Amino acid sequence: MSLVSFVLVSLISVGSFAAQIPDFLKNPFAATITSTLVTAESASSFQRGQVTLLPSRKSVPLMERAVDFNYSFRLRADEKAPLVFLIPGTGGTSESAGVLLIAEQLFKQGYHVVTVDNPFSWRFAVAGSKSGLPGYTPRDAADLYVAFKKVAKTLKADHGIQPQSYSLLGYSLGGLQSLFIGEIDQKVRAFDFQRILIINPPANLLYAVERLDALADVKKQMTPQQRQNVNFKVQRVTGAVTSGKVSLRDPMQMDQIFKQERFTDLELSYLIGNEFHDSLGGIIFSTQQVSDLGILKVPATKYKRNARNAEISKYSFAQYMNLFLLPTLKRTHGADYTVEQLNHEASIFGMADVIRSNERIYMVTTVDDLFSKPADIAWMQKQFGKRALVLPFGGHCGFYSLPVFKEHLKSIF
């Protein structure tokens, strides 16, 4: 689609957005939590694939199930159909609900679709991270680019596809990583990505880490009974969905059941924080199996992991960055290397020239994103110009099932 048409569709979409979204989902916490609940109708139609990227990892103890890089895919009958790689957010896998939901729509639009594990996930730490310690965006992007090439080669050999072009989509941390991958591809040209869409990228990693830890700490404000009550609410929602009484793909039905359960902001914050913090625990466990830095004191064996997991659960995202990641980067960047330097190199601010100069890169984000400051969202909007769509609400990646997003996706791909 031409840039003029893209802008017109964007303006129309923003104008109709408020009329399409249910009132309850204008709450950024509620919108954010729904991104993990809405599943693709055709999730079972996706095939699973694996490739070996780091053969030496087969000897990593207790990680036997994670030694190969995982991806999911769905291919069109036309072997020359264009192909889109999709990257989920923090801790996300190729089977995450959000990434399959978007992949499903792009498949309907005529694309081969391939979803992958995010580099900052427990499986990728073993199967794809050369350092075994993900979290530094430039390095993670380079690792994932290698995986893309191996996956594309495998799909061509095993399924006979010959994509006429390639594109890339990432959301949350996957969106930020997509920018760095795009920069690599501009030099290497293994794919010559025709479109790159980044959704709700965290502008400032340090700020995003602060917010993640703040949400995880909400648990400390709640009594065991309050946490149990929240879990009962989630079980009721899950039960209504699995029984077919409610479809979370319908925004109005989703709104209805959330209102019925009367989730508070505190409860929603707890659920969001808990989800992210659990993913961090898996990452710390797997990285220390790959290369034990001696930070954790409790050992793990095949039959005894609970004590080590309990020790890991006390670590925050900030502690991972400062105690695990930063010291290893000092070895390659110098003893004076600071977390502020890490943040600058691994965040979006250093990518301004790439954003402005590459007309193929688009962004969708929200005014009420939980993990970016308003000033940073404004900065990103300025860099992207007419290639940015900033929705008035939707939280962090909480708008995938809405017509406004589906139509916007069609205007780009």
Side-chain angles (χ1 to χ4, degrees), residues 31 33-41 96-102 247-251 254 398 400-401:
I33 201 68
T34 61
S35 67
T36 64
L37 298 175
V38 185
T39 58
E41 290 180 297
S96 292
V99 77
L100 290 183
L101 188 66
I102 301 174
S247 172
L248 293 184
R249 298 187 191 98
D250 183 333
M254 185 191 307
Y400 299 159
S401 62

Side-chain angles (χ1 to χ4, degrees), residues 26-57:
K26 294 176 184 178
N27 178 322
F29 299 102
T32 299
I33 201 68
T34 61
S35 67
T36 64
L37 298 175
V38 185
T39 58
E41 290 180 297
S42 62
S44 61
S45 298
F46 283 79
Q47 300 180 62
R48 306 290 183 254
Q50 292 183 327
V51 292
T52 300
L53 301 174
L54 301 169
S56 63
R57 296 289 167 81

Side-chain angles (χ1 to χ4, degrees), residues 178-333:
S178 295
L179 270 181
F180 284 78
I181 291 172
E183 183 183 32
I184 294 170
D185 191 61
Q186 280 189 306
K187 301 172 183 175
V188 180
R189 296 292 181 183
F191 300 103
D192 191 23
F193 292 120
Q194 297 300 297
R195 293 287 186 272
I196 299 176
L197 174 60
I198 67 173
I199 303 171
N200 282 114
N204 182 322
L205 279 182
L206 279 180
Y207 178 76
V209 162
E210 290 174 5
R211 294 290 295 134
L212 285 168
D213 286 339
L215 288 168
D217 283 344
V218 167
K219 181 178 182 178
K220 300 174 184 177
Q221 303 174 31
M222 304 174 69
T223 65
Q225 183 62 52
Q226 287 176 314
R227 295 197 295 270
Q228 186 178 50
N229 289 340
V230 178
N231 292 332
F232 286 152
K233 290 184 179 183
V234 172
Q235 289 173 14
R236 287 195 293 269
V237 172
T238 303
V241 173
T242 55
S243 67
K245 295 179 181 178
V246 174
S247 172
L248 293 184
R249 298 187 191 98
D250 183 333
M252 298 310 297
Q253 290 189 37
M254 185 191 307
D255 184 51
Q256 182 180 4
I257 194 166
F258 268 72
K259 284 180 177 178
Q260 179 180 317
E261 292 297 341
R262 298 186 180 184
F263 284 98
T264 66
D265 284 355
L266 184 72
E267 291 171 336
L268 293 168
S269 297
Y270 160 70
L271 290 172
I272 297 167
N274 211 40
E275 177 91 7
F276 279 114
H277 192 253
D278 283 350
S279 72
L280 175 65
I283 292 165
I284 292 177
F285 187 96
S286 61
T287 62
Q288 298 313 289
Q289 291 303 117
V290 172
S291 180
D292 196 333
L293 299 176
I295 298 171
L296 302 178
K297 305 307 178 186
V298 180
T301 66
K302 186 175 182 179
Y303 301 106
K304 293 183 179 180
R305 305 187 192 187
N306 290 345
R308 190 172 180 90
N309 284 329
E311 180 184 9
I312 288 172
S313 69
K314 298 175 182 178
Y315 285 89
S316 66
F317 280 92
Q319 288 173 316
Y320 175 84
M321 181 178 282
N322 285 283
L323 299 179
F324 292 83
L325 184 59
L326 183 62
T328 61
L329 289 172
K330 285 179 180 286
R331 297 172 192 167
T332 54
H333 291 67

Side-chain angles (χ1 to χ4, degrees), residues 331-348:
R331 297 172 192 167
T332 54
H333 291 67
D336 295 333
Y337 189 72
T338 66
V339 71
E340 288 75 22
Q341 288 173 297
L342 186 166
N343 186 52
H344 177 75
E345 294 173 3
S347 294
I348 203 170

